[in-house]
Every structure is written in structure tokens, then in C-alpha cells.
Amino acid sequence: MLPFVLIERLSMTLDRLTMTLQLLQQTCVYLVIAYLLSRTPLFIPLMNVTVRPSHKAAAYVIFSMFCILGTYFGLQFDDSIANTRAIGAVLGGLLGGPSVGLAVGLTGGLHRYSLGGPTDVACAISTVTEGLIGGLMHRHYVGRRQFDRLFDPWRVALVTFAAEVAQMAIILLITRPFEVAWSVVDHVALPMWIANTLGAAFFMRILQERRLLLERQSSVFSTKALKIAARAEGILRNGFNEDTTKRISRIIYEETGVGAVSITDRDKILAFIGLGDDHHLPGTPIASEQTLQAIIHNQVLYADGNETDYHCSLSPTCPLGATLVIPLVGEDEQVIGTIKLYEPRNKLFSNINRTLGEGLARLFSTQILAGRYDEQKQLLARSEIKLLHAQINPHFLFNTLNVLSSIIRSDPERARELVLHLSTFFRKNLKRPTEEATLGDEIDHVNAYLQIELARFADRLTVKFDVPDPLRSVALPAFSLQLIVENAIKHGIAHMIEAGVVRIEAKEEAGVLLLSVEDNAGLYGGHDHGDGLGMNLVDRRIRNRYGDSYGLDVSCKPEVSTRVTMRVPIQLVAA
Amino acid sequence: MIRALIVDDEPPALSELRVLLDEAGNIDIVGEAGNAVEAIAAINRLQPEVVFLDIQMPRISGLEMIAMLDPSHAPRIVFLTAHDDYAVQAFEENAFDYLLKPVDPLRLGKTLQRLQRDRAPQDVGLLKRAHPLRQIPCSGQNRISLLRVEDVEYVASRASGVFVVGEDGKERFTELSLRTLEERTSMFQCHRQFLVNLDHIQELRFEEGGLGRIVTLGGRTVPVSRRFLALLKEKLGVD
């Protein structure tokens, strides 16, 4: 008897071990499916503890599917099924909360019930219970805000094991006759405990892995993006040219680690850094078909060298084998150039760098736009100057004509001289081929102007020049002296009741030209504030051109004198 | 003959205007002035019927000058300007007419015809609506200074003219009449010959015979006549 019993026990144990192994095999297939699905966007809602209804719905659908899958992947035993249904129900509850757990359990349970057998009711009830157990665990950890514990495979294993124990208890309690229940439990308990516990733990491990990967990717991505953005800050505001694009390319090259980086405008390469820089030379016209297409169609083009062919159009020995071309977009959606990333033949284009490339192109487009805006502002300032050149004060013009009509009567010869001065003044005003003039030119202009004012004010104005001849060829911004002298007359002398004196002096001091205009009115900044704009423009223009140690300096002793001194470096204009 | 004063700060412009008026005839140019202060003095002295007044002048423009005229004998004003920026404002200031420089003789002829037809004196009421004075032109040795009304302690009218006394105690001669100053500033007349700035009063002393004496913040005294004492007390809120 004893040996028979032993043999009997041994064969029973073997049976169960076989069944366990078979169920584990099924679980493996089940997990492979889970693994494959985890690579799809379908699983993204499961990566976090879900609160949003849409995510909860996704969790319900996915885990219900796994729940039913668990039933189909089960092993028939008599009329019952050893299965891995519990994994779907428990995980559904764990990640989606009690409601999702309950719903998944009900779905899986009803499905199981529809298949019939002696344990159908018990199995249906226990599946719902398992879903609820997962849900309660969810509530427990969420309440303590210990989200990470929900993703801990060990804890998941424990819960699943507990749920399976509960299932067996429910089968024993509900299924009648009890002998049948006992027989079923006796046979499937061990395989199901092992398979479900391990299966749930591995399933969670898959999720956990995905989650870590996503996090790492996004943190690498944002770190890179932030670093590049910080280093590139403001560079393109200085213009979209070979110098600035070279600096930007260098930054992208260093931060992304791609094989090479290039920036082009619509026609030519502006900058190229990295592999192949021996034949990809800045300044040469764009040769690559991809780049031309990207510019024409305002489209990101990707030639991975595999599906889409890429060959360097310049050199057959070029190591580069893949390229990503991203258009840079300026005003009105106009493509103003491209950023190109390259990888050599033996390297794959990382997804991160592709996405990053597109984001950077947007960032730089914005910067270029900002730069253009700055440039426009400067242009505007320049045109303000032009306006001042051309703008002749109507009071000056009509007063001059009035004086002329008087002098024509009294002294025709003098009137002729005045007409000549007036034409010199207008000619100088209208015709300014260059933005730079010599001091001599400026003095001639100012002299013509002052001759007219002398006629107007007669003995109320005296003019004194002290300009050494050698300094007459020093360069200075056109029209600047004229503006200062005009100010001294218009806002100084013209407001004096007693006799006015204007003194114009030029001297050299340590390589700097000091040009001063002094009046004896001393009214600067008072009474009428009209003297601001023109003087500011002159000051700004000198600073822009020669640096901040040059410019205008105003000193005013109220009611006594105003002295405006211009400082410019001594640079001679070739005759 | 219409008695005219011509005012312009540019000598050639003055001589041009003189020639044009002479050619037009029926005009007696009684004087010339090169700035607003000279012009006010000339108007007070010569009492012309019409003033040809340039708008752009040193320190005090033609427009500002009208507000300084004594309303009791205000002449008619014909403005002259090189550019018509000011035209609208000129009419708001109740000018009789305005002319653009260089002056067209035909246009000047029309102005003179109108003057001939309409020799009624300038409407004084209109001039009263002119802006209050913020500064008082004072002539020194060879300079004209503008004294802000709030810096004036009092104004005294003497046989030698009207004098403005500032916080510094200096007396400055002005061409403006006491009446103009009384009407165009917030200063209070406390005596037939004195205006006082109420903000500069330190003390009011009462003397025999219903007279008073003001001590200013600067320690100078200003007489108060019987006629004005009650009104002054009311103004100061004392009984």
C-alpha cells in the first residue's frame, strides 16, 4: 500500500509540476504580448497612476483584454480552467483604482462565466474580488501618495498571490458539490499561484522598465534642449550670418554629439562643423537635393541613408551617411535657411536628436526674427537721420526768403551772395552720398548756414571759427556738426535779446578730435525742449560707430553759456 | 493815417515790412521794436492803433506778448509768421489778422483796407480771456530776465515805472503795467501802487487810521491802504 500511495502522490505532484510549467509557458506568451504592446503608445496612459477619465478608460480596455486573454491562455482541467486571469484584474485595479478594478473584474468574470463549467460562478465572483483587491491597494498607496510602491513588482506579486488565495477560498466556498471544488482547487491552486504571482510581477516589471526609459529620455531631452537654448541665447539677435551661425552650429554639435552640423541660408552654406568639414565649406552654394527641397517646400526632410538614400553630393569619400534638414522660418512663413544635422554611415540617427533638431529650428527661427526686428529698429534710426538731413525747417526756409526779398531791394550784390550760400546749404543737405564726411565738408555746410543766419539776425549774431587746417580732413558722421550748430542758433541765440556769439573750435588731444560749439545763451534744456532728438541721434550715431568713449558732451551754465563738445577718434579720410 | 508799430527780431524783416507799408500808403509807422519787451514799452508809450507783430521772437513770443498788454489801451494785432503752424492759435488769441512772410503786397493791401474800415478799438473783453501770466519779463542793464510769478513777493508802481521784487529782494523794472499784472496774475492789490503775492505774506500789522502793513517772508514791508484792508483780511481769512 505504502509504495502505491507514494507513487500515487509522486505522480500527482508531477502532474501539478507539469501543469505549473505549462501554465508558466502560457504566461510567457502572455507576457510577450504585454511586452510588445508596451512598446506602443497604447501603454503610455498606464505609465502613470491614472486620474484622468480617458486614462482610466484606456486602463479598463487594456486590462480587460489581458483578463480575457488570461482565460484563453489557461489550461483545461476537467471542466475548469487553470488561468492567469488574475493578472489583468489585479493590475487593472492597482493602476486604475477600485472602479477600474471592479469593471475589469466584472468583464473578465462575465466572460469566464459565459464559458460555463462547475466553477463558473465562483470564478466570476473571484475575478471581481481580485479586481477589487487591486483597487483597494491602489487606494491605499494613493491615499499615502506613495505612487512608486504601486509600480513595485514585489508588492504586486504579493497582492496577486493574496488575490489568488482568495480565489481558491471562494471556489471552495461557493462551488458545490464540495468534492468537485476540492478537486479543482487541489489541482489548479499551485500552478495558478505560481504563474499568476510571477506573471503579475513580470508584467509590472515591463511597465516599470518602460516608465524609466521614458523618464530618462525626456530628462535627457529637456536637459539637452535647455543647455543648447541657454548657450545659444541671443547669438542670432546679432544677425543671421556666417559668424553667428558658426557659433550656433558649434553649440549644437557639442551638445547633441551628432556627426556634423550645418546651417545654410537659401543659397549657400553659412556654417559647417564636424565630419566632412574638409569639403563642406562655408560660402559654397547648396548642392544637396534634400536641402533645396526643404527650402522650396518648407518641410523637414530626413534621409536616413537606409530607406531614403543619402549621398554627399560633394565628395564620394564623405563619411556622412544620413541627414536631417529642418527649414528655418522667418516672417510670413518664409524659409530663410536650414539647419542640417548629419550622422556618419556607421551611426544611427537618434530619435532624440531628430525631435531636438526640429525644436531648435523653431527656437532659432524666433531668435532670427527678433534679430531682424532689432535690425529694423537700427534702420529706422538711420532713416531718422536721413530725415533730419532732408528736413529743412520751414521757419528757416521762409524767414530766409523773407530776408532775401528785403536784401534784394537794399543790396542786390549781397542778395546774390546769400542765394549762393543758400544753394550751398541745400546742396549739402540734399546730396549725401556717404554717411561719413570730413570736418572740412561739415564746416562748409555750417558756414553756408551761418552766413544766412548772419543776414537774418544782423548785429545780433557773431560767429567765430577756430579750426586748424590739418584737422579738416578728419572723418566724422555727416551732418553732425550742422545739427549741433543749428541747435545753438535755434534754441540758444534766437532766444537772446542781446548779442549772441557762436564759437566753433576744433582741436586734437591724444588722437581724439574735440569739436566744440559754444553759444553765450546758456539756455540748453530750458524753455523749449526741442533740442533733444537731434542731439540724441548724433550722440547715438557716434557711440554706435566709434564706441562708448566717444560721443557728445554738453555743459551748460544757465544764462551764461552752453558748450557742446563732440569727441571722435582721429581718422583721416583719403582724399 | 493809421498809426502802426512794427515788431520783428530780424532787422531785414523789419525794413522789408517798413518798405511794404510805406508803399501801401495811409500808414504812419510810429515805431519799431526788436523784441516783446521793447514792443510793450513802445505800445505803452506810443499807443499805436495797430501792431504788426512777428510771432517767433526771443524769450517772449508774439503770442505770449498779447497777454502782457495793458487791457486799457490794447491796439489791434496783425500777426506775421514765416510758417503757418501758428495761424489757428493766432486767431484764437483774437488777432485782427495774420500775414505770411515773405509778405505779399496784395495780401497786405487787404489787411490795410480792413483796418481802414474797422477802426473801432480792440475788444478788451476778448483779451481778458487770454491765459494767465506765468512769468513776468523784467529788463535789467542789458538783459531781459523772466521772473516766475510765484517767486515774486510784491510789485510796486513808482513815478519811474513798475518794479517787481523777488525773493532775493532785488527790484526789477518791468514794462508791464500794474493793471496788467493785477488782471493776469493771482497777485492781490493791497494799495493803489502795490500788488502783493499772498503766498509770501508773513505778517499783517494794523496801524492807526485803518491802515495796514504787510511783512513779507523776506522781511520787507508793503503798505496796505484803507480801501483794500477789509478785502485783504477776507482773503487771508482773518477778522
Side-chain angles (χ1 to χ4, degrees):
Chain A
M1 275 309 274
L2 204 66
F4 177 73
V5 172
L6 264 177
I7 288 165
E8 172 84 344
R9 293 293 285 260
L10 207 62
S11 103
M12 265 176 67
T13 315
L14 269 175
D15 268 3
R16 267 152 232 172
L17 276 178
T18 313
M19 197 173 200
T20 306
L21 280 176
Q22 281 174 337
L23 195 59
L24 278 174
Q25 263 177 15
Q26 298 294 77
T27 313
C28 284
V29 178
Y30 175 96
L31 286 174
V32 167
I33 294 174
Y35 176 75
L36 290 177
L37 280 178
S38 78
R39 316 297 293 180
T40 68
L42 214 63
F43 260 44
I44 287 176
L46 309 184
M47 298 304 162
N48 285 307
V49 178
T50 46
V51 217
R52 275 194 272 163
S54 65
H55 284 190
K56 281 196 192 258
Y60 163 72
V61 171
I62 290 166
F63 286 115
S64 294
M65 196 192 74
F66 274 103
C67 205
I68 292 166
L69 210 64
T71 310
Y72 280 126
F73 276 24
L75 300 169
Q76 199 78 25
F77 170 76
D78 291 337
D79 278 335
S80 303
I81 306 163
N83 62 75
T84 52
R85 194 165 51 240
I87 299 175
V90 172
L91 288 181
L94 261 180
L95 296 178
S99 54
V100 174
L102 189 71
V104 171
L106 267 173
T107 312
L110 285 173
H111 171 259
R112 168 65 190 86
Y113 179 74
S114 69
L115 298 177
T119 56
D120 53 1
V121 176
C123 280
I125 294 175
S126 59
T127 307
V128 175
T129 314
E130 284 166 337
L132 274 178
I133 289 176
L136 290 175
M137 174 113 158
H138 171 98
R139 180 161 284 181
H140 175 80
Y141 284 125
V142 168
R144 287 149 202 256
R145 317 209 63 75
Q146 295 167 323
F147 301 108
D148 274 349
R149 300 205 167 174
L150 287 172
F151 289 90
D152 177 11
W154 291 105
R155 286 196 168 74
V156 172
L158 214 69
V159 177
T160 316
F161 181 72
E164 278 299 280
V165 171
Q167 172 171 26
M168 296 307 150
I170 289 168
I171 293 174
L172 288 177
L173 277 172
I174 292 180
T175 309
R176 291 293 174 268
F178 184 73
E179 287 74 30
V180 175
W182 179 255
S183 155
V184 169
V185 169
D186 187 28
H187 279 88
V188 301
L190 186 68
M192 279 178 65
W193 284 346
I194 293 176
N196 279 297
T197 307
L198 284 177
F202 273 108
F203 197 116
M204 189 49 94
R205 182 79 192 128
I206 290 170
L207 280 179
Q208 202 186 25
E209 204 107 291
R210 263 321 272 168
R211 204 167 162 238
L212 282 176
L213 196 67
L214 267 181
E215 269 179 7
R216 201 173 310 134
Q217 269 183 1
S218 64
S219 75
V220 166
F221 185 87
S222 36
T223 319
K224 265 194 196 180
L226 284 175
K227 236 170 144 182
I228 296 178
R231 286 184 60 186
E233 166 70 33
I235 293 180
L236 285 173
R237 287 194 81 127
N238 298 321
F240 183 61
N241 53 41
E242 291 201 6
D243 174 52
T244 56
T245 53
K246 187 176 169 191
R247 285 158 67 195
I248 295 286
S249 306
R250 164 76 52 197
I251 293 166
I252 301 175
Y253 176 72
E254 285 171 4
E255 295 296 338
T256 58
V258 292
V261 176
S262 163
I263 296 180
T264 73
D265 61 15
R266 287 182 69 95
D267 316 304
K268 59 182 187 303
I269 301 173
L270 289 174
F272 189 100
I273 286 177
L275 294 168
D277 56 7
D278 53 334
H279 59 277
H280 292 270
L281 298 172
T284 52
I286 296 171
S288 137
E289 190 52 37
Q290 283 89 359
T291 313
L292 294 171
Q293 290 297 317
I295 291 172
I296 293 169
H297 301 296
N298 184 10
Q299 198 175 43
V300 178
L301 279 179
Y302 178 47
D304 61 359
N306 201 6
E307 278 173 45
T308 323
D309 210 28
Y310 172 74
H311 286 294
C312 171
S313 47
L314 297 170
S315 160
T317 55
C318 182
L320 300 173
T323 183
L324 173 69
V325 190
I326 311 144
L328 288 167
V329 180
E331 293 132 285
D332 309 323
E333 296 294 300
Q334 282 283 315
V335 178
I336 49 179
T338 63
I339 291 189
K340 300 175 73 177
L341 306 184
Y342 300 87
E343 288 289 12
R345 280 201 200 91
N346 54 7
K347 225 178 124 194
L348 278 175
F349 234 111
S350 84
N351 246 329
I352 293 189
N353 283 342
R354 285 186 59 185
T355 328
L356 197 59
E358 292 178 31
L360 289 177
R362 266 201 295 279
L363 174 74
F364 295 141
S365 296
T366 323
Q367 281 202 9
I368 293 168
L369 266 183
R372 297 251 154 120
Y373 174 67
D374 285 354
E375 202 182 316
Q376 305 252 308
K377 270 206 308 201
Q378 279 175 10
L379 277 175
L380 199 69
R382 242 176 282 158
S383 62
E384 278 176 71
I385 294 269
K386 285 226 179 78
L387 207 67
L388 279 176
H389 276 222
Q391 192 183 52
I392 288 153
N393 183 342
H395 281 280
F396 171 74
L397 177 61
F398 293 117
N399 277 319
T400 305
L401 293 175
N402 192 41
V403 167
L404 264 177
S405 79
S406 163
I407 296 181
I408 285 170
R409 215 190 295 270
S410 58
D411 188 350
E413 204 43 49
R414 178 102 201 281
R416 272 178 52 79
E417 276 170 35
L418 261 188
V419 168
L420 288 180
H421 287 308
L422 194 60
S423 28
T424 306
F425 175 75
F426 282 154
R427 220 187 300 285
K428 295 259 179 198
N429 249 3
L430 297 173
K431 200 170 139 200
R432 283 282 166 176
T434 49
E435 281 278 289
E436 201 154 76
T438 62
L439 179 56
D441 281 341
E442 285 291 296
I443 295 285
D444 290 346
H445 190 185
V446 163
N447 185 52
Y449 167 76
L450 286 174
Q451 290 302 326
I452 297 160
E453 297 294 51
L454 278 169
R456 273 180 66 193
F457 293 118
D459 52 1
R460 278 179 54 211
L461 175 62
T462 311
V463 177
K464 290 176 179 161
F465 278 104
D466 182 6
V467 180
D469 268 346
L471 290 177
R472 285 180 66 94
S473 47
V474 173
L476 69 163
F479 212 71
S480 43
L481 181 62
Q482 169 61 24
L483 273 175
I484 299 171
V485 173
E486 218 177 292
N487 261 314
I489 300 284
K490 226 161 69 187
H491 304 294
I493 306 292
H495 290 281
M496 286 177 72
I497 282 166
E498 57 281 15
V501 180
V502 175
R503 204 183 301 268
I504 297 163
E505 275 174 6
K507 60 181 175 185
E508 184 191 346
E509 222 176 77
V512 177
L513 171 70
L514 296 174
L515 186 58
S516 64
V517 177
E518 189 180 308
D519 65 57
N520 63 337
L523 294 172
Y524 185 84
H527 188 56
D528 67 330
H529 304 284
D531 36 11
L533 176 71
M535 298 282 264
N536 276 340
L537 273 172
V538 173
D539 184 51
R540 219 161 69 209
R541 216 153 53 123
I542 294 173
R543 281 170 200 276
N544 282 348
R545 191 181 292 235
Y546 306 112
D548 275 338
S549 48
Y550 302 99
L552 292 192
D553 179 48
V554 183
S555 64
C556 176
K557 291 180 204 149
E559 306 281 326
V560 177
S561 70
T562 301
R563 187 188 181 90
V564 179
T565 307
M566 188 200 303
R567 291 169 55 88
V568 290
I570 296 217
Q571 291 169 0
L572 300 184
V573 174
Chain B
M1 294 282 264
I2 304 169
R3 293 161 47 78
L5 176 75
I6 54 177
V7 185
D8 198 309
D9 63 321
E10 296 176 16
L14 266 186
S15 70
E16 172 73 359
L17 188 58
R18 176 180 278 279
V19 170
L20 287 173
L21 287 172
D22 282 346
E23 283 172 358
N26 202 23
I27 280 272
D28 175 19
I29 300 171
V30 295
E32 285 180 359
N35 59 57
V37 176
E38 279 177 29
I40 294 169
I43 291 168
N44 290 344
R45 193 174 67 243
L46 304 167
Q47 312 223 338
E49 290 168 86
V50 59
V51 178
F52 289 88
L53 182 59
D54 183 27
I55 291 181
Q56 268 207 316
M57 286 194 302
R59 291 296 170 100
I60 303 157
S61 76
L63 293 173
E64 289 166 323
M65 196 197 95
I66 320 197
M68 298 173 181
L69 292 179
D70 190 329
S72 58
H73 38 83
R76 273 168 294 174
I77 306 290
V78 175
F79 278 117
L80 285 113
T81 178
H83 185 52
D84 59 4
D85 276 356
Y86 292 114
V88 176
Q89 203 193 342
F91 274 111
E92 280 174 2
E93 299 283 349
N94 310 302
F96 181 82
D97 202 352
Y98 84 98
L99 295 168
L100 289 175
K101 294 198 281 191
V103 176
D104 175 359
L106 290 177
R107 179 67 183 76
L108 178 64
K110 283 184 185 160
T111 306
L112 294 178
Q113 275 175 18
R114 279 189 55 206
L115 277 171
Q116 200 70 53
R117 269 202 311 269
D118 176 15
R119 293 185 78 162
Q122 179 90 22
D123 183 352
V124 175
L126 288 177
L127 277 177
K128 275 188 181 164
R129 270 191 270 131
H131 307 293
L133 277 185
R134 278 174 293 129
Q135 290 176 313
I136 301 171
C138 305
S139 3
Q141 286 287 14
N142 50 7
R143 280 215 167 223
I144 286 175
S145 56
L146 291 171
L147 196 60
R148 293 190 306 167
V149 170
E150 61 259 41
D151 295 338
V152 174
E153 282 205 334
Y154 66 94
V155 180
S157 172
R158 309 218 173 89
S160 50
V162 178
F163 293 87
V164 180
V165 180
E167 289 171 314
D168 54 4
K170 260 192 223 161
E171 290 201 343
R172 294 171 177 82
F173 174 76
T174 182
E175 294 287 355
L176 304 197
S177 69
L178 205 62
R179 175 151 177 218
T180 306
L181 291 171
E182 198 265 325
E183 286 191 4
R184 296 281 151 72
T185 69
S186 58
M187 278 189 287
F188 179 78
Q189 182 155 30
C190 55
H191 188 278
R192 197 168 50 84
Q193 287 170 293
F194 288 91
L195 299 180
V196 71
N197 186 340
L198 293 177
D199 295 332
H200 283 258
I201 295 180
Q202 191 184 43
E203 244 179 76
L204 174 59
R205 291 183 194 152
F206 300 106
E207 293 177 347
E208 281 173 33
L211 298 177
R213 192 162 286 272
I214 288 169
V215 180
T216 64
L217 290 177
R220 284 164 285 275
T221 56
V222 181
V224 183
S225 67
R226 200 174 329 160
R227 214 173 114 206
F228 296 105
L229 187 59
L231 198 57
L232 178 62
K233 285 202 291 189
E234 192 182 303
K235 278 261 180 197
L236 294 174
V238 291
D239 284 310

